[in-house]
Amino acid sequence: MTSIVDHGIYLDSPIASAIQQIQPFFEADIFSATQTPLFLRMRALVRMRLLVNRLPQGIQHVAVKPGNLPIADGGVVFYPFNSQSNMNAVTNRRAHHVLTLHGESNKLASNRPAARLYDYICIAGPVARDRYIDAGIFTPAEVDQGRLVMVGDSFVQRMNWIVPAPAGQEGALLYCPTWEGYGNGADNYTSISSQAVFALCADAARIVGTDTIIVKPHPYLGLLRHKLLIDFVKGVRFLKSKGFIVKLAVMNASNPLRLLAAALLRDIEWIDGSERHATSFGLTDVSGVETIFLRQRIPFMTIRGKGEMPVALKNYYAHKSLNIADDVEKPISAYLEDEGCIDDRQRRLVFGWQDDGLEAKSGQERREWLLNYVQNDPYWRTSKAESL
């Protein structure tokens, strides 16, 4: 019989590597391998994929049905993904339900109206808060009363195998394209779909003065549009043909991409994440990788898609975005002249804290603070009192 616990994580994803995307939060002790079980909805497709992809060692997992979670009265359920069956899980009104997502991103998926299903929503800081308010999903009053909880970089993923290159030393350029996304939204794009992005990577590498390019694809890249896998291989081959030392960070990539790379990119070195790689510059699409670079203090710029940039983010991206079709030397050089100040300003916009002492706390202390905050229920206690 499954033990009843006071908090856990609900995950319903047909993609087994989704678990790997939240593994960094266990490594940082934001979630506890011994105290925070993973409530895993075991669809047939998940069971089949787990025959190939094993669950990370040390993480407790419990097979569940969304309407029957082993959570104690007054307990807390965390949701790192927007899954349809979350709507069934949140019907358990004996527990508190908290949307964390699994990163901080300016994609539309990060501020869906479905966020209102949850009792509390963890956000990184002012930019995320404003996204929700500007979209009309939450009101300023709801924010002031504590329904959106600013937890800084707590739920920003880590890539611990990259470190900033020491001043004056050459480091790699790290290119991290996102995946194609569901639907036809303006931000559901990946720069991989344009082979011109690899010429952009080559130009950027020359501008920052490096001969090494590391390519790290999103774990879901190519699962919906299989042609992108071929585009990926062609692009890596292009970089190799231009004389660069090319390395692949495909430790969390999909099985189809890894199999194709193993067959067609045999002469390219694979990184397994066990060693640190000095990194001088990052390139990524609009995605959670932007905040990873910010958190780890890697200078970077964002490759924008074709969609119109939201008005609220124009100043945010003014010095940090590139368009594939444009010459990139001028914007990259201008950014590098003042990247320290630009990134510090961006960090202040992205990361904020509900409590003044929260930033200095360890992962375990942040978890305990968050559990205490949610179980004290400041927003809903106030709302109920005002309605009487």
Side-chain angles (χ1 to χ4, degrees):
M1 184 175 178
T2 302
S3 299
I4 302 298
V5 296
D6 71 345
H7 74 282
I9 306 161
Y10 178 72
L11 194 153
D12 175 13
S13 172
I15 303 170
S17 62
I19 299 171
Q20 294 171 327
Q21 290 187 269
I22 63 171
Q23 188 173 1
F25 306 132
F26 285 95
E27 294 168 352
D29 214 18
I30 299 296
F31 294 140
S32 168
T34 58
Q35 299 175 31
T36 313
L38 184 64
F39 303 143
L40 187 61
R41 186 180 183 189
M42 284 289 195
R43 297 174 179 268
L45 186 57
V46 173
R47 292 183 188 277
M48 184 170 61
R49 284 185 168 152
L50 287 177
L51 295 174
V52 180
N53 299 94
R54 293 177 178 270
L55 292 171
Q57 289 187 349
I59 298 177
Q60 303 177 59
H61 68 280
V62 182
V64 299
K65 294 181 179 179
N68 188 22
L69 304 182
I71 194 78
D73 289 357
V76 179
V77 184
F78 296 108
Y79 298 82
F81 290 90
N82 275 311
S83 302
Q84 189 170 4
S85 70
N86 290 8
M87 291 187 290
N88 301 109
V90 299
T91 59
N92 178 352
R93 299 316 307 157
R94 295 178 292 103
H96 306 284
H97 302 274
V98 181
L99 181 68
T100 66
L101 297 177
H102 56 284
E104 161 66 14
S105 170
N106 287 319
K107 283 189 172 182
L108 293 176
S110 295
N111 60 323
R112 289 177 176 171
R116 294 195 63 85
L117 290 170
Y118 306 91
D119 299 307
Y120 293 94
I121 298 87
C122 287
I123 58 173
V127 168
R129 175 199 63 203
D130 294 346
R131 277 200 307 265
Y132 276 116
I133 292 174
D134 293 344
I137 297 170
F138 293 103
T139 66
E142 288 175 307
V143 173
D144 292 342
Q145 292 166 11
R147 192 170 178 189
L148 273 63
V149 189
M150 284 199 274
V151 292
D153 61 2
S154 299
F155 292 105
V156 171
Q157 291 192 38
R158 282 80 168 152
M159 291 196 297
N160 292 327
W161 51 274
I162 60 171
V163 293
Q169 293 186 26
E170 179 183 333
L173 180 143
L174 175 57
Y175 169 47
C176 298
T178 190
W179 72 306
E180 56 269 35
Y182 291 107
N184 297 313
D187 63 353
N188 283 333
Y189 81 100
T190 172
S191 53
I192 285 285
S193 60
S194 170
Q195 285 294 298
V197 76
F198 293 98
L200 186 156
C201 287
D203 290 341
R206 293 190 184 98
I207 293 166
V208 302
T210 183
D211 293 325
T212 303
I213 298 177
I214 302 173
V215 184
K216 182 193 179 300
H218 188 283
Y220 298 175
L221 179 70
L223 291 181
L224 297 181
R225 293 167 53 195
H226 303 316
K227 179 182 177 295
L228 292 172
L229 302 177
I230 301 298
D231 293 336
F232 176 86
V233 170
K234 287 181 179 178
V236 171
R237 277 268 163 248
F238 170 84
L239 294 175
K240 181 80 172 178
S241 72
K242 294 300 180 180
F244 290 99
I245 300 167
V246 184
K247 302 179 181 181
L248 299 181
V250 291
M251 46 283 217
N252 294 329
S254 67
N255 287 327
L257 189 148
R258 288 171 62 88
L259 289 170
L260 198 65
L264 302 180
L265 299 173
R266 295 180 182 178
D267 57 335
I268 306 294
E269 179 184 346
W270 287 26
I271 291 172
D272 62 9
S274 62
E275 298 179 358
R276 300 291 180 94
H277 293 266
T279 306
S280 293
F281 194 73
L283 287 172
T284 186
D285 303 330
V286 175
S287 69
V289 175
E290 294 172 280
T291 43
I292 295 174
F293 282 146
L294 269 182
R295 182 187 179 279
Q296 297 186 214
R297 298 182 177 273
I298 304 292
F300 77 98
M301 297 188 78
T302 301
I303 303 166
R304 288 184 10 237
K306 296 180 180 178
E308 184 67 22
M309 186 186 301
V311 173
L313 292 175
K314 284 191 175 180
N315 288 335
Y316 179 92
Y317 281 121
H319 304 287
K320 295 293 296 281
S321 66
L322 299 170
N323 190 306
I324 292 176
D326 296 337
D327 178 71
V328 297
E329 182 165 4
K330 185 175 180 180
I332 291 178
S333 298
Y335 162 67
L336 290 176
E337 286 180 4
D338 199 23
E339 57 93 2
C341 291
I342 292 170
D343 286 0
D344 283 345
R345 184 164 60 246
Q346 193 174 11
R347 267 186 285 272
R348 289 193 295 271
L349 288 171
V350 172
F351 302 129
W353 307 91
Q354 198 79 13
D355 182 277
D356 289 340
L358 192 55
E359 182 177 9
K361 292 183 182 294
S362 66
Q364 177 184 343
E365 291 169 333
R366 291 185 190 185
R367 180 178 74 253
E368 292 170 352
W369 181 94
L370 182 57
L371 288 169
N372 184 62
Y373 179 93
V374 172
Q375 290 174 323
N376 282 334
D377 209 11
Y379 173 77
W380 292 102
R381 273 195 299 106
T382 303
S383 298
K384 290 173 184 175
E386 290 177 348
S387 66
L388 295 177

